[in-house]
Amino acid sequence: MKLAVFGSAGQLGRDLCPRLAGDIVPLTREQADLARPETLRSVLTNLRPEVVVNCAAYNFVDRAETEESAAFAVNAWGIRELALLCCDLDCTLVHFSTDYVFGLDAARRTPYTEADAPGPVSVYGRSKLTGENVVRGLCPKHFVIRTCGLYGVWGSGGKGGNFVETMLRVAGQGQPLRVVADQTCTPTYTVDLAPAVAALVQTDKYGLYHLSNAGACSWHEFAAAIFEMAGVQADLTAITSREFGAAAQRPEYSVLDNRKFGSLGLPSLRPWREALAAYLSERRPKAAGGN
Ligand SMILES: NC(=O)c1ccc[n+]([C@@H]2O[C@H](COP(=O)([O-])OP(=O)(O)OC[C@H]3O[C@@H](n4cnc5c(N)ncnc54)[C@H](OP(=O)(O)O)[C@@H]3O)[C@@H](O)[C@H]2O)c1
């Protein structure tokens, strides 16, 4: 089976490619640019993959508030073209989405299932929701996988580092850290997500899936756990999202219920604390901040 992987140089792409079974063709933005949808047909017709895995996205959550068309160009309209092409070429399309498709229900405090109505509170969230919808509407053989708070050994190329590395770097510089305590989700280690995706792709159980590490925490609780496990003394203060003042609103609660994935008989991802401990022992500090 031939699999073409868009966004292969990103945080998730780097951990997913070595875990997928088959003939893997890793594609970078230079080889396959979702912002130039008119170029995608020739890429796919030349490769003729059975499966297209899309790890690429416009991921700048705050910048998207003022760059709506750039976010939609990649996350919605580029994905629409990809979905149309996959349908045309009879490929399976594996596409990643986000817990940021939720948030509008501010009172919500129980994990979201795939049957829950989404309601994003940011431009990024709306662009990703549109991307989900075009995949689900246009490409019958699809897996749309919503995940949450990714961190991986390679760091997030587009954003430079990941949350864990940022916490350790700032604490290491002796600077105080103010981290939001009113956003609850499930940070997810890409090394745990990748084999679960690889196993799902082996099935023909197409559809929408929630996939994250288990449990839930606020970003402040996650930061505290990082410092506790890494044995780092940090000047850490809990603040509100309002005090933090990010350009984009985030969900107060966006924990994803993973039971649909579990019902396939595939192994659930471990609790977020165990995943964090594994990351801290497996990380390569030099890799933080880029590729
Ligand atoms: N990171 C998170 O916390 C998080 C949470 C929930 C869901 N997700 C979703 O998970 C998926 C993977 O995220 P990630 O953290 O691995 O992201 P990432 O590290 O930022 O990687 C994204 C990749 O997409 C590529 N890319 C950006 N624009 C592109 C374009 N126009 N055409 C082709 N490639 C393009 C980037 O290439 P360059 O290196 O050239 O920029 C990069 O390699 C995304 O769908 C994201 O929305 C992420």
Side-chain angles (χ1 to χ4, degrees):
M1 188 162 77
K2 189 189 260 193
L3 299 91
V5 183
F6 284 58
S8 62
Q11 181 169 236
L12 176 60
R14 285 193 188 258
D15 278 332
L16 187 54
C17 281
R19 289 171 177 85
L20 290 167
D23 174 12
I24 311 303
V25 184
L27 298 168
T28 62
R29 187 203 297 248
E30 287 67 39
Q31 294 160 300
D33 187 349
L34 289 169
R36 297 172 60 224
E38 70 284 359
T39 63
L40 299 178
R41 178 174 288 275
S42 66
V43 174
L44 291 186
T45 47
N46 286 339
L47 288 173
R48 286 271 163 195
E50 278 88 29
V51 180
V52 172
V53 181
N54 177 43
C55 299
Y58 174 105
N59 268 341
F60 301 104
V61 177
D62 290 315
R63 242 162 69 186
E65 295 298 309
T66 50
E67 291 184 357
E68 183 162 359
S69 56
F72 270 78
V74 176
N75 293 346
W77 315 137
I79 300 306
R80 178 178 59 187
E81 183 64 17
L82 198 58
L84 284 167
L85 285 169
C86 286
C87 180
D88 203 19
L89 301 171
D90 195 29
C91 300
T92 298
L93 176 55
V94 183
H95 177 65
F96 291 92
S97 189
T98 169
D99 58 315
Y100 284 8
V101 299
F102 296 111
L104 207 54
D105 179 358
R108 180 81 181 214
R109 291 297 178 268
T110 52
Y112 283 101
T113 73
E114 293 82 352
D116 282 312
V121 291
S122 64
V123 170
Y124 169 76
R126 283 196 290 277
S127 72
K128 292 292 289 183
L129 178 59
T130 307
E132 289 186 359
N133 287 338
V134 294
V135 172
R136 297 174 70 192
L138 298 173
C139 180
K141 291 197 295 182
H142 67 259
F143 295 98
V144 172
I145 299 162
R146 291 186 186 139
T147 188
C148 179
L150 294 183
Y151 61 95
V153 167
W154 285 100
S156 180
K159 289 188 285 194
N162 60 42
F163 183 84
V164 185
E165 297 303 330
T166 302
M167 290 298 108
L168 292 172
R169 189 187 68 247
V170 176
Q173 292 164 349
Q175 294 175 28
L177 283 145
R178 301 163 76 241
V179 179
V180 295
D182 58 359
Q183 290 172 30
T184 297
C185 64
T186 312
T188 298
Y189 187 18
T190 50
V191 161
D192 290 357
L193 178 62
V197 171
L200 182 60
V201 172
Q202 294 290 318
T203 75
D204 58 0
K205 306 292 183 193
Y206 304 118
L208 173 66
Y209 290 91
H210 288 178
L211 209 40
S212 63
N213 278 122
C217 61
S218 72
W219 289 106
H220 177 264
E221 286 171 318
F222 190 51
I226 293 167
F227 298 133
E228 178 200 314
M229 288 183 202
V232 169
Q233 288 290 333
D235 177 3
L236 175 65
T237 306
I239 60 166
T240 64
S241 300
R242 186 182 288 265
E243 286 171 316
F244 188 77
Q249 192 182 336
R250 269 79 169 168
E252 284 178 36
Y253 181 94
S254 56
V255 178
L256 302 173
D257 183 322
N258 284 212
R259 277 178 297 180
K260 182 177 174 190
F261 176 79
S263 73
L264 301 181
L266 299 172
S268 300
L269 275 63
R270 60 188 154 180
W272 67 264
R273 279 183 186 276
E274 287 175 32
L276 174 60
Y279 173 82
L280 290 171
S281 68
E282 290 158 15
R283 67 189 271 265
R284 281 166 283 174
K286 277 197 172 150
N291 298 300

